[in-house]
Amino acid sequence: MPAYQAPRGTFDVLPGDAAARERVEAAARDLFARYGYGRVETPAFEDTELFERGVGQSTDIVQKEMFTFEDLGGRSLTLRPEGTAPICRAYVEHGMHKLAQPVKLWYLGPFFRHERPQAGRFRQFSQIGAEAIGSDSPLVDAELIILLDELLRGLGVPGLTLKLGSLGSPEARAAYREELVAYLRAHEDDLAEDVRDRIEANPLRAFDAKDEGTRAVMAGAPTVLERLDDADAEHFGAVRRLLDQAGIAYELDGTLVRGLDYYTRTVFAFECERLGAQSEVGGGGRYDRLVEQLGGPATPAAGWAAGVERILLALDQAEQERGLDVFVVAAEDRRDRALALATELRQAGLRADLDLAGRSVTGQMKQADRLGARRALILDGDGARVRDMESGEQRELDAARVVEELGG
Ligand code: HAM
């Protein structure tokens, strides 16, 4: 019988992976407490209709990525692909509009999308998310972005870029869409074939095209940012001012479209350059119509979600790139001394390691290389030498002053 494996696109979290994951979760828990967010948990599955109505019929998520099943009573249920629609459902169901507004909620848990698995893209993944429901103030947008920025930076996620845009109101967006379709039609001859075929179905996709002809056309295309009405432009201006005041750098992106239909006004995404194609670690925006769309009172709201696995991948990359500061290589009779020195170096704040598997000196040098160590500290005879792993240069060290000399 073949051995069982976890389903495609899923993974097991083993004890070795748990510590990093717990560190991310603990950082989130601590931050949310300081920012006044209360924890909320909703079920792993909901009525399918909630996502059809909430996330939007025309989205990839609803059209092809949901794990939908019928229960024994014949009801259609769906494993949640995202958390915002369920939380709005809970907000209405529990009459949270009667509480002081906005209601600030956070969550952490598994989500499910039937996507093509690849690095950073899974069929079951974890999100940490925040939703602030019941205020249209730009202060809310800014506070949410400041919070996510602090979470990612505090954890040490490297190479972050914040992309910021505004989609305006659905009405303004519909008018803009018509304008963009007309623009693409006027330049049809210069567009790639697949873009041309999708002008009506999804004109915004043209902004993501890779071919030069299309890119040249899109460089001159109008963006939704240039078509905001006065109230939306004022709101966006206020969000930008507040981010400037907080010292948070961002890139304006007039073409930022997110894969969910509920967004209005502000949208944003944090990207990490160390991740490949799936570079977005977290993102979100304002969704002023969603609560009403789900049968509640008209209630403005905003939020974001970050992918825990993507954060972990980004941190892992950073760790690997940083490599070791020093690997202690020791002859057989100097192994005890190697451990003592590695401990001292670690206590002095260096990333230090040593052989724990009885390798020969040559084997230890290979191991130092494999671990990306910048230097090897070689203990043989009575002395100590330091070797620069890149240049191969070596020099003698005063055995009593190893830690100072290695920059501890
Ligand atoms: P989203 O952009 O679809 O937004 O997902 C948020 C984050 O979840 C992404 O930035 C990514 O890090 C992670 N993620 C998404 N899909 C996968 C996947 N297949 N594998 C691994 N990680 C993934 C939302 O879900 C919105 N509910 C965010 C929001 C909250 N907007 C307003 N409030």
PDB file of all heavy atoms in Angstrom, residues 21 24 108-109 111 113 120 122 125-129 148 151-152 155 157 258 270 275 278-283 304-315:
ATOM      1  N   ARG A  21       6.709  30.014  14.031  1.00  0.00           N
ATOM      2  CA  ARG A  21       5.282  30.300  13.878  1.00  0.00           C
ATOM      3  C   ARG A  21       4.729  30.936  15.160  1.00  0.00           C
ATOM      4  O   ARG A  21       3.979  31.915  15.123  1.00  0.00           O
ATOM      5  CB  ARG A  21       4.583  28.965  13.613  1.00  0.00           C
ATOM      6  CG  ARG A  21       3.249  29.038  12.986  1.00  0.00           C
ATOM      7  CD  ARG A  21       2.831  27.652  12.533  1.00  0.00           C
ATOM      8  NE  ARG A  21       3.145  27.447  11.140  1.00  0.00           N
ATOM      9  CZ  ARG A  21       2.304  27.773  10.143  1.00  0.00           C
ATOM     10  NH1 ARG A  21       1.144  28.305  10.394  1.00  0.00           N
ATOM     11  NH2 ARG A  21       2.657  27.567   8.907  1.00  0.00           N
ATOM     12  N   VAL A  24       5.640  34.575  15.493  1.00  0.00           N
ATOM     13  CA  VAL A  24       4.798  35.464  14.674  1.00  0.00           C
ATOM     14  C   VAL A  24       3.455  35.683  15.365  1.00  0.00           C
ATOM     15  O   VAL A  24       2.973  36.813  15.490  1.00  0.00           O
ATOM     16  CB  VAL A  24       4.590  34.859  13.258  1.00  0.00           C
ATOM     17  CG1 VAL A  24       3.584  35.671  12.464  1.00  0.00           C
ATOM     18  CG2 VAL A  24       5.927  34.778  12.516  1.00  0.00           C
ATOM     19  N   LEU A 108      -6.900  34.982  13.648  1.00  0.00           N
ATOM     20  CA  LEU A 108      -5.758  34.168  13.225  1.00  0.00           C
ATOM     21  C   LEU A 108      -6.291  32.766  13.014  1.00  0.00           C
ATOM     22  O   LEU A 108      -6.942  32.218  13.900  1.00  0.00           O
ATOM     23  CB  LEU A 108      -4.721  34.172  14.361  1.00  0.00           C
ATOM     24  CG  LEU A 108      -3.636  33.123  14.367  1.00  0.00           C
ATOM     25  CD1 LEU A 108      -2.765  33.239  13.138  1.00  0.00           C
ATOM     26  CD2 LEU A 108      -2.774  33.279  15.600  1.00  0.00           C
ATOM     27  N   GLY A 109      -6.030  32.205  11.854  1.00  0.00           N
ATOM     28  CA  GLY A 109      -6.526  30.851  11.641  1.00  0.00           C
ATOM     29  C   GLY A 109      -6.347  30.401  10.210  1.00  0.00           C
ATOM     30  O   GLY A 109      -5.768  31.110   9.384  1.00  0.00           O
ATOM     31  N   PHE A 111      -7.238  29.237   6.327  1.00  0.00           N
ATOM     32  CA  PHE A 111      -8.106  29.605   5.209  1.00  0.00           C
ATOM     33  C   PHE A 111      -7.808  28.659   4.055  1.00  0.00           C
ATOM     34  O   PHE A 111      -6.750  28.013   4.045  1.00  0.00           O
ATOM     35  CB  PHE A 111      -7.878  31.074   4.823  1.00  0.00           C
ATOM     36  CG  PHE A 111      -8.353  31.997   5.917  1.00  0.00           C
ATOM     37  CD1 PHE A 111      -7.538  32.289   7.002  1.00  0.00           C
ATOM     38  CD2 PHE A 111      -9.642  32.507   5.889  1.00  0.00           C
ATOM     39  CE1 PHE A 111      -8.002  33.081   8.047  1.00  0.00           C
ATOM     40  CE2 PHE A 111     -10.106  33.307   6.927  1.00  0.00           C
ATOM     41  CZ  PHE A 111      -9.283  33.598   7.999  1.00  0.00           C
ATOM     42  N   ARG A 113      -8.025  27.874  -0.211  1.00  0.00           N
ATOM     43  CA  ARG A 113      -8.285  28.276  -1.607  1.00  0.00           C
ATOM     44  C   ARG A 113      -7.722  27.207  -2.520  1.00  0.00           C
ATOM     45  O   ARG A 113      -6.576  26.782  -2.350  1.00  0.00           O
ATOM     46  CB  ARG A 113      -7.620  29.617  -1.936  1.00  0.00           C
ATOM     47  CG  ARG A 113      -8.209  30.764  -1.167  1.00  0.00           C
ATOM     48  CD  ARG A 113      -7.587  32.100  -1.575  1.00  0.00           C
ATOM     49  NE  ARG A 113      -7.969  33.105  -0.599  1.00  0.00           N
ATOM     50  CZ  ARG A 113      -7.526  34.358  -0.572  1.00  0.00           C
ATOM     51  NH1 ARG A 113      -6.668  34.758  -1.492  1.00  0.00           N
ATOM     52  NH2 ARG A 113      -7.932  35.200   0.358  1.00  0.00           N
ATOM     53  N   GLY A 120       5.000  29.637  -1.567  1.00  0.00           N
ATOM     54  CA  GLY A 120       4.221  30.729  -0.974  1.00  0.00           C
ATOM     55  C   GLY A 120       2.741  30.688  -1.305  1.00  0.00           C
ATOM     56  O   GLY A 120       1.995  31.574  -0.914  1.00  0.00           O
ATOM     57  N   PHE A 122      -0.535  28.109  -1.077  1.00  0.00           N
ATOM     58  CA  PHE A 122      -1.001  26.832  -0.563  1.00  0.00           C
ATOM     59  C   PHE A 122      -2.512  26.743  -0.681  1.00  0.00           C
ATOM     60  O   PHE A 122      -3.186  27.740  -0.937  1.00  0.00           O
ATOM     61  CB  PHE A 122      -0.598  26.688   0.914  1.00  0.00           C
ATOM     62  CG  PHE A 122       0.871  26.879   1.135  1.00  0.00           C
ATOM     63  CD1 PHE A 122       1.372  28.105   1.542  1.00  0.00           C
ATOM     64  CD2 PHE A 122       1.759  25.844   0.892  1.00  0.00           C
ATOM     65  CE1 PHE A 122       2.733  28.300   1.717  1.00  0.00           C
ATOM     66  CE2 PHE A 122       3.121  26.023   1.070  1.00  0.00           C
ATOM     67  CZ  PHE A 122       3.610  27.248   1.481  1.00  0.00           C
ATOM     68  N   PHE A 125      -3.801  27.706   4.219  1.00  0.00           N
ATOM     69  CA  PHE A 125      -2.768  28.625   4.714  1.00  0.00           C
ATOM     70  C   PHE A 125      -3.339  29.379   5.897  1.00  0.00           C
ATOM     71  O   PHE A 125      -4.542  29.308   6.168  1.00  0.00           O
ATOM     72  CB  PHE A 125      -2.330  29.587   3.599  1.00  0.00           C
ATOM     73  CG  PHE A 125      -3.470  30.365   2.990  1.00  0.00           C
ATOM     74  CD1 PHE A 125      -3.771  31.646   3.424  1.00  0.00           C
ATOM     75  CD2 PHE A 125      -4.264  29.805   1.996  1.00  0.00           C
ATOM     76  CE1 PHE A 125      -4.827  32.368   2.864  1.00  0.00           C
ATOM     77  CE2 PHE A 125      -5.332  30.512   1.441  1.00  0.00           C
ATOM     78  CZ  PHE A 125      -5.605  31.790   1.878  1.00  0.00           C
ATOM     79  N   SER A 126      -2.488  30.078   6.633  1.00  0.00           N
ATOM     80  CA  SER A 126      -2.964  30.819   7.811  1.00  0.00           C
ATOM     81  C   SER A 126      -2.895  32.309   7.546  1.00  0.00           C
ATOM     82  O   SER A 126      -1.922  32.792   6.958  1.00  0.00           O
ATOM     83  CB  SER A 126      -2.086  30.534   9.023  1.00  0.00           C
ATOM     84  OG  SER A 126      -1.941  29.158   9.190  1.00  0.00           O
ATOM     85  N   GLN A 127      -3.894  32.991   7.996  1.00  0.00           N
ATOM     86  CA  GLN A 127      -3.870  34.454   7.939  1.00  0.00           C
ATOM     87  C   GLN A 127      -3.968  35.029   9.351  1.00  0.00           C
ATOM     88  O   GLN A 127      -4.672  34.503  10.200  1.00  0.00           O
ATOM     89  CB  GLN A 127      -5.080  34.992   7.161  1.00  0.00           C
ATOM     90  CG  GLN A 127      -4.955  34.938   5.664  1.00  0.00           C
ATOM     91  CD  GLN A 127      -6.128  35.623   4.967  1.00  0.00           C
ATOM     92  OE1 GLN A 127      -7.130  35.993   5.599  1.00  0.00           O
ATOM     93  NE2 GLN A 127      -6.021  35.791   3.665  1.00  0.00           N
ATOM     94  N   ILE A 128      -3.250  36.130   9.529  1.00  0.00           N
ATOM     95  CA  ILE A 128      -3.495  37.017  10.661  1.00  0.00           C
ATOM     96  C   ILE A 128      -4.222  38.198  10.049  1.00  0.00           C
ATOM     97  O   ILE A 128      -3.764  38.734   9.037  1.00  0.00           O
ATOM     98  CB  ILE A 128      -2.168  37.515  11.262  1.00  0.00           C
ATOM     99  CG1 ILE A 128      -1.427  36.353  11.919  1.00  0.00           C
ATOM    100  CG2 ILE A 128      -2.421  38.629  12.263  1.00  0.00           C
ATOM    101  CD1 ILE A 128      -0.011  36.719  12.338  1.00  0.00           C
ATOM    102  N   GLY A 129      -5.347  38.602  10.640  1.00  0.00           N
ATOM    103  CA  GLY A 129      -6.087  39.685  10.007  1.00  0.00           C
ATOM    104  C   GLY A 129      -6.656  40.660  11.017  1.00  0.00           C
ATOM    105  O   GLY A 129      -6.791  40.344  12.209  1.00  0.00           O
ATOM    106  N   LEU A 148       0.140  47.036  10.605  1.00  0.00           N
ATOM    107  CA  LEU A 148       0.725  45.958   9.797  1.00  0.00           C
ATOM    108  C   LEU A 148       2.213  46.218   9.549  1.00  0.00           C
ATOM    109  O   LEU A 148       3.035  45.297   9.602  1.00  0.00           O
ATOM    110  CB  LEU A 148      -0.041  45.825   8.466  1.00  0.00           C
ATOM    111  CG  LEU A 148       0.426  44.729   7.502  1.00  0.00           C
ATOM    112  CD1 LEU A 148       0.532  43.368   8.174  1.00  0.00           C
ATOM    113  CD2 LEU A 148      -0.506  44.639   6.285  1.00  0.00           C
ATOM    114  N   LEU A 151       4.020  45.253  12.655  1.00  0.00           N
ATOM    115  CA  LEU A 151       4.079  43.795  12.806  1.00  0.00           C
ATOM    116  C   LEU A 151       5.198  43.218  11.928  1.00  0.00           C
ATOM    117  O   LEU A 151       6.058  42.469  12.406  1.00  0.00           O
ATOM    118  CB  LEU A 151       2.731  43.170  12.421  1.00  0.00           C
ATOM    119  CG  LEU A 151       2.687  41.638  12.419  1.00  0.00           C
ATOM    120  CD1 LEU A 151       2.865  41.086  13.834  1.00  0.00           C
ATOM    121  CD2 LEU A 151       1.377  41.114  11.829  1.00  0.00           C
ATOM    122  N   LEU A 152       5.203  43.598  10.651  1.00  0.00           N
ATOM    123  CA  LEU A 152       6.163  43.009   9.713  1.00  0.00           C
ATOM    124  C   LEU A 152       7.590  43.443  10.024  1.00  0.00           C
ATOM    125  O   LEU A 152       8.516  42.646  10.027  1.00  0.00           O
ATOM    126  CB  LEU A 152       5.782  43.370   8.267  1.00  0.00           C
ATOM    127  CG  LEU A 152       4.411  42.853   7.801  1.00  0.00           C
ATOM    128  CD1 LEU A 152       4.069  43.393   6.418  1.00  0.00           C
ATOM    129  CD2 LEU A 152       4.373  41.323   7.798  1.00  0.00           C
ATOM    130  N   LEU A 155       8.982  41.912  13.250  1.00  0.00           N
ATOM    131  CA  LEU A 155       9.403  40.518  13.088  1.00  0.00           C
ATOM    132  C   LEU A 155      10.699  40.411  12.300  1.00  0.00           C
ATOM    133  O   LEU A 155      11.339  39.371  12.290  1.00  0.00           O
ATOM    134  CB  LEU A 155       8.304  39.735  12.358  1.00  0.00           C
ATOM    135  CG  LEU A 155       7.068  39.405  13.192  1.00  0.00           C
ATOM    136  CD1 LEU A 155       5.929  38.944  12.295  1.00  0.00           C
ATOM    137  CD2 LEU A 155       7.403  38.334  14.219  1.00  0.00           C
ATOM    138  N   VAL A 157      10.871  41.196   8.839  1.00  0.00           N
ATOM    139  CA  VAL A 157      10.654  40.857   7.429  1.00  0.00           C
ATOM    140  C   VAL A 157      11.466  41.841   6.571  1.00  0.00           C
ATOM    141  O   VAL A 157      11.291  43.050   6.684  1.00  0.00           O
ATOM    142  CB  VAL A 157       9.155  40.933   7.049  1.00  0.00           C
ATOM    143  CG1 VAL A 157       8.959  40.646   5.562  1.00  0.00           C
ATOM    144  CG2 VAL A 157       8.356  39.961   7.899  1.00  0.00           C
ATOM    145  N   ARG A 258      -7.013  44.379  -6.225  1.00  0.00           N
ATOM    146  CA  ARG A 258      -6.922  43.199  -5.376  1.00  0.00           C
ATOM    147  C   ARG A 258      -7.992  42.218  -5.817  1.00  0.00           C
ATOM    148  O   ARG A 258      -8.965  42.592  -6.445  1.00  0.00           O
ATOM    149  CB  ARG A 258      -7.027  43.607  -3.913  1.00  0.00           C
ATOM    150  CG  ARG A 258      -6.072  44.788  -3.588  1.00  0.00           C
ATOM    151  CD  ARG A 258      -5.768  44.946  -2.130  1.00  0.00           C
ATOM    152  NE  ARG A 258      -4.809  43.975  -1.681  1.00  0.00           N
ATOM    153  CZ  ARG A 258      -5.108  42.891  -0.986  1.00  0.00           C
ATOM    154  NH1 ARG A 258      -6.331  42.653  -0.626  1.00  0.00           N
ATOM    155  NH2 ARG A 258      -4.156  42.052  -0.642  1.00  0.00           N
ATOM    156  N   PHE A 270       1.633  45.059   1.167  1.00  0.00           N
ATOM    157  CA  PHE A 270       3.049  45.013   1.507  1.00  0.00           C
ATOM    158  C   PHE A 270       3.687  43.886   0.708  1.00  0.00           C
ATOM    159  O   PHE A 270       3.252  42.742   0.810  1.00  0.00           O
ATOM    160  CB  PHE A 270       3.254  44.738   2.996  1.00  0.00           C
ATOM    161  CG  PHE A 270       3.093  45.954   3.863  1.00  0.00           C
ATOM    162  CD1 PHE A 270       1.842  46.307   4.350  1.00  0.00           C
ATOM    163  CD2 PHE A 270       4.185  46.750   4.184  1.00  0.00           C
ATOM    164  CE1 PHE A 270       1.688  47.429   5.158  1.00  0.00           C
ATOM    165  CE2 PHE A 270       4.042  47.871   4.992  1.00  0.00           C
ATOM    166  CZ  PHE A 270       2.789  48.218   5.472  1.00  0.00           C
ATOM    167  N   LEU A 275      10.663  37.360  -1.722  1.00  0.00           N
ATOM    168  CA  LEU A 275       9.778  36.278  -2.136  1.00  0.00           C
ATOM    169  C   LEU A 275       9.674  36.307  -3.646  1.00  0.00           C
ATOM    170  O   LEU A 275       9.841  37.342  -4.266  1.00  0.00           O
ATOM    171  CB  LEU A 275       8.399  36.456  -1.498  1.00  0.00           C
ATOM    172  CG  LEU A 275       8.376  36.387   0.035  1.00  0.00           C
ATOM    173  CD1 LEU A 275       6.979  36.630   0.565  1.00  0.00           C
ATOM    174  CD2 LEU A 275       8.882  35.035   0.515  1.00  0.00           C
ATOM    175  N   GLN A 278       4.985  35.099  -5.588  1.00  0.00           N
ATOM    176  CA  GLN A 278       3.962  35.391  -4.572  1.00  0.00           C
ATOM    177  C   GLN A 278       4.566  36.344  -3.546  1.00  0.00           C
ATOM    178  O   GLN A 278       4.852  35.970  -2.416  1.00  0.00           O
ATOM    179  CB  GLN A 278       3.483  34.101  -3.899  1.00  0.00           C
ATOM    180  CG  GLN A 278       3.011  33.046  -4.868  1.00  0.00           C
ATOM    181  CD  GLN A 278       1.912  33.562  -5.771  1.00  0.00           C
ATOM    182  OE1 GLN A 278       0.996  34.237  -5.323  1.00  0.00           O
ATOM    183  NE2 GLN A 278       2.003  33.268  -7.046  1.00  0.00           N
ATOM    184  N   SER A 279       4.754  37.594  -3.957  1.00  0.00           N
ATOM    185  CA  SER A 279       5.546  38.502  -3.122  1.00  0.00           C
ATOM    186  C   SER A 279       4.723  39.262  -2.102  1.00  0.00           C
ATOM    187  O   SER A 279       5.274  39.943  -1.246  1.00  0.00           O
ATOM    188  CB  SER A 279       6.292  39.490  -4.016  1.00  0.00           C
ATOM    189  OG  SER A 279       5.354  40.248  -4.737  1.00  0.00           O
ATOM    190  N   GLU A 280       3.397  39.147  -2.171  1.00  0.00           N
ATOM    191  CA  GLU A 280       2.586  39.940  -1.238  1.00  0.00           C
ATOM    192  C   GLU A 280       2.498  39.237   0.116  1.00  0.00           C
ATOM    193  O   GLU A 280       1.947  38.161   0.226  1.00  0.00           O
ATOM    194  CB  GLU A 280       1.188  40.142  -1.812  1.00  0.00           C
ATOM    195  CG  GLU A 280       0.423  41.181  -1.032  1.00  0.00           C
ATOM    196  CD  GLU A 280      -1.052  41.225  -1.367  1.00  0.00           C
ATOM    197  OE1 GLU A 280      -1.394  41.580  -2.502  1.00  0.00           O
ATOM    198  OE2 GLU A 280      -1.851  40.890  -0.473  1.00  0.00           O
ATOM    199  N   VAL A 281       3.037  39.880   1.153  1.00  0.00           N
ATOM    200  CA  VAL A 281       2.937  39.269   2.483  1.00  0.00           C
ATOM    201  C   VAL A 281       1.633  39.637   3.166  1.00  0.00           C
ATOM    202  O   VAL A 281       1.135  38.882   3.995  1.00  0.00           O
ATOM    203  CB  VAL A 281       4.112  39.625   3.428  1.00  0.00           C
ATOM    204  CG1 VAL A 281       5.285  38.727   3.188  1.00  0.00           C
ATOM    205  CG2 VAL A 281       4.516  41.062   3.329  1.00  0.00           C
ATOM    206  N   GLY A 282       1.096  40.793   2.837  1.00  0.00           N
ATOM    207  CA  GLY A 282      -0.163  41.170   3.463  1.00  0.00           C
ATOM    208  C   GLY A 282      -0.775  42.335   2.723  1.00  0.00           C
ATOM    209  O   GLY A 282      -0.069  43.095   2.059  1.00  0.00           O
ATOM    210  N   GLY A 283      -2.101  42.456   2.839  1.00  0.00           N
ATOM    211  CA  GLY A 283      -2.739  43.571   2.152  1.00  0.00           C
ATOM    212  C   GLY A 283      -4.193  43.677   2.542  1.00  0.00           C
ATOM    213  O   GLY A 283      -4.751  42.791   3.197  1.00  0.00           O
ATOM    214  N   TRP A 304      -7.188  44.349   6.912  1.00  0.00           N
ATOM    215  CA  TRP A 304      -6.137  43.683   6.130  1.00  0.00           C
ATOM    216  C   TRP A 304      -5.951  42.259   6.620  1.00  0.00           C
ATOM    217  O   TRP A 304      -6.437  41.889   7.701  1.00  0.00           O
ATOM    218  CB  TRP A 304      -4.800  44.422   6.210  1.00  0.00           C
ATOM    219  CG  TRP A 304      -4.243  44.732   7.589  1.00  0.00           C
ATOM    220  CD1 TRP A 304      -4.229  45.967   8.179  1.00  0.00           C
ATOM    221  CD2 TRP A 304      -3.619  43.835   8.528  1.00  0.00           C
ATOM    222  NE1 TRP A 304      -3.637  45.883   9.421  1.00  0.00           N
ATOM    223  CE2 TRP A 304      -3.245  44.595   9.665  1.00  0.00           C
ATOM    224  CE3 TRP A 304      -3.335  42.467   8.527  1.00  0.00           C
ATOM    225  CZ2 TRP A 304      -2.615  44.037  10.794  1.00  0.00           C
ATOM    226  CZ3 TRP A 304      -2.711  41.899   9.649  1.00  0.00           C
ATOM    227  CH2 TRP A 304      -2.357  42.690  10.752  1.00  0.00           C
ATOM    228  N   ALA A 305      -5.257  41.483   5.818  1.00  0.00           N
ATOM    229  CA  ALA A 305      -4.830  40.159   6.277  1.00  0.00           C
ATOM    230  C   ALA A 305      -3.418  39.912   5.765  1.00  0.00           C
ATOM    231  O   ALA A 305      -3.039  40.378   4.695  1.00  0.00           O
ATOM    232  CB  ALA A 305      -5.777  39.074   5.764  1.00  0.00           C
ATOM    233  N   ALA A 306      -2.639  39.196   6.574  1.00  0.00           N
ATOM    234  CA  ALA A 306      -1.271  38.850   6.194  1.00  0.00           C
ATOM    235  C   ALA A 306      -1.135  37.332   6.225  1.00  0.00           C
ATOM    236  O   ALA A 306      -1.732  36.656   7.069  1.00  0.00           O
ATOM    237  CB  ALA A 306      -0.273  39.496   7.157  1.00  0.00           C
ATOM    238  N   GLY A 307      -0.360  36.796   5.293  1.00  0.00           N
ATOM    239  CA  GLY A 307      -0.184  35.351   5.210  1.00  0.00           C
ATOM    240  C   GLY A 307       0.967  34.916   6.127  1.00  0.00           C
ATOM    241  O   GLY A 307       2.105  35.337   5.942  1.00  0.00           O
ATOM    242  N   VAL A 308       0.651  34.058   7.094  1.00  0.00           N
ATOM    243  CA  VAL A 308       1.674  33.625   8.056  1.00  0.00           C
ATOM    244  C   VAL A 308       2.803  32.878   7.345  1.00  0.00           C
ATOM    245  O   VAL A 308       3.988  33.109   7.608  1.00  0.00           O
ATOM    246  CB  VAL A 308       1.048  32.748   9.165  1.00  0.00           C
ATOM    247  CG1 VAL A 308       2.116  32.181  10.084  1.00  0.00           C
ATOM    248  CG2 VAL A 308       0.032  33.558   9.965  1.00  0.00           C
ATOM    249  N   GLU A 309       2.460  31.995   6.402  1.00  0.00           N
ATOM    250  CA  GLU A 309       3.508  31.214   5.721  1.00  0.00           C
ATOM    251  C   GLU A 309       4.417  32.131   4.899  1.00  0.00           C
ATOM    252  O   GLU A 309       5.619  31.900   4.810  1.00  0.00           O
ATOM    253  CB  GLU A 309       2.896  30.139   4.814  1.00  0.00           C
ATOM    254  CG  GLU A 309       2.226  29.009   5.581  1.00  0.00           C
ATOM    255  CD  GLU A 309       0.883  29.390   6.165  1.00  0.00           C
ATOM    256  OE1 GLU A 309       0.267  30.358   5.661  1.00  0.00           O
ATOM    257  OE2 GLU A 309       0.439  28.748   7.135  1.00  0.00           O
ATOM    258  N   ARG A 310       3.822  33.173   4.296  1.00  0.00           N
ATOM    259  CA  ARG A 310       4.663  34.094   3.506  1.00  0.00           C
ATOM    260  C   ARG A 310       5.601  34.869   4.426  1.00  0.00           C
ATOM    261  O   ARG A 310       6.752  35.119   4.069  1.00  0.00           O
ATOM    262  CB  ARG A 310       3.786  35.052   2.710  1.00  0.00           C
ATOM    263  CG  ARG A 310       2.969  34.295   1.698  1.00  0.00           C
ATOM    264  CD  ARG A 310       2.807  35.006   0.405  1.00  0.00           C
ATOM    265  NE  ARG A 310       1.912  34.196  -0.410  1.00  0.00           N
ATOM    266  CZ  ARG A 310       0.998  34.688  -1.212  1.00  0.00           C
ATOM    267  NH1 ARG A 310       0.859  35.995  -1.340  1.00  0.00           N
ATOM    268  NH2 ARG A 310       0.247  33.883  -1.913  1.00  0.00           N
ATOM    269  N   ILE A 311       5.116  35.258   5.600  1.00  0.00           N
ATOM    270  CA  ILE A 311       5.990  35.940   6.568  1.00  0.00           C
ATOM    271  C   ILE A 311       7.142  35.005   6.938  1.00  0.00           C
ATOM    272  O   ILE A 311       8.310  35.393   6.937  1.00  0.00           O
ATOM    273  CB  ILE A 311       5.206  36.347   7.841  1.00  0.00           C
ATOM    274  CG1 ILE A 311       4.172  37.421   7.506  1.00  0.00           C
ATOM    275  CG2 ILE A 311       6.152  36.816   8.935  1.00  0.00           C
ATOM    276  CD1 ILE A 311       3.280  37.816   8.680  1.00  0.00           C
ATOM    277  N   LEU A 312       6.806  33.735   7.212  1.00  0.00           N
ATOM    278  CA  LEU A 312       7.843  32.773   7.620  1.00  0.00           C
ATOM    279  C   LEU A 312       8.850  32.552   6.492  1.00  0.00           C
ATOM    280  O   LEU A 312      10.059  32.471   6.737  1.00  0.00           O
ATOM    281  CB  LEU A 312       7.196  31.452   8.041  1.00  0.00           C
ATOM    282  CG  LEU A 312       6.383  31.535   9.344  1.00  0.00           C
ATOM    283  CD1 LEU A 312       5.611  30.234   9.575  1.00  0.00           C
ATOM    284  CD2 LEU A 312       7.293  31.822  10.535  1.00  0.00           C
ATOM    285  N   LEU A 313       8.372  32.475   5.264  1.00  0.00           N
ATOM    286  CA  LEU A 313       9.284  32.297   4.122  1.00  0.00           C
ATOM    287  C   LEU A 313      10.223  33.489   3.995  1.00  0.00           C
ATOM    288  O   LEU A 313      11.416  33.330   3.759  1.00  0.00           O
ATOM    289  CB  LEU A 313       8.484  32.181   2.823  1.00  0.00           C
ATOM    290  CG  LEU A 313       7.921  30.804   2.485  1.00  0.00           C
ATOM    291  CD1 LEU A 313       6.991  30.904   1.271  1.00  0.00           C
ATOM    292  CD2 LEU A 313       9.064  29.836   2.178  1.00  0.00           C
ATOM    293  N   ALA A 314       9.665  34.689   4.162  1.00  0.00           N
ATOM    294  CA  ALA A 314      10.487  35.901   4.039  1.00  0.00           C
ATOM    295  C   ALA A 314      11.540  35.928   5.143  1.00  0.00           C
ATOM    296  O   ALA A 314      12.695  36.291   4.913  1.00  0.00           O
ATOM    297  CB  ALA A 314       9.606  37.143   4.108  1.00  0.00           C
ATOM    298  N   LEU A 315      11.160  35.518   6.354  1.00  0.00           N
ATOM    299  CA  LEU A 315      12.112  35.531   7.472  1.00  0.00           C
ATOM    300  C   LEU A 315      13.208  34.490   7.246  1.00  0.00           C
ATOM    301  O   LEU A 315      14.382  34.715   7.532  1.00  0.00           O
ATOM    302  CB  LEU A 315      11.388  35.255   8.794  1.00  0.00           C
ATOM    303  CG  LEU A 315      10.436  36.354   9.246  1.00  0.00           C
ATOM    304  CD1 LEU A 315       9.690  35.935  10.517  1.00  0.00           C
ATOM    305  CD2 LEU A 315      11.193  37.657   9.497  1.00  0.00           C
TER     306      LEU A 315
END
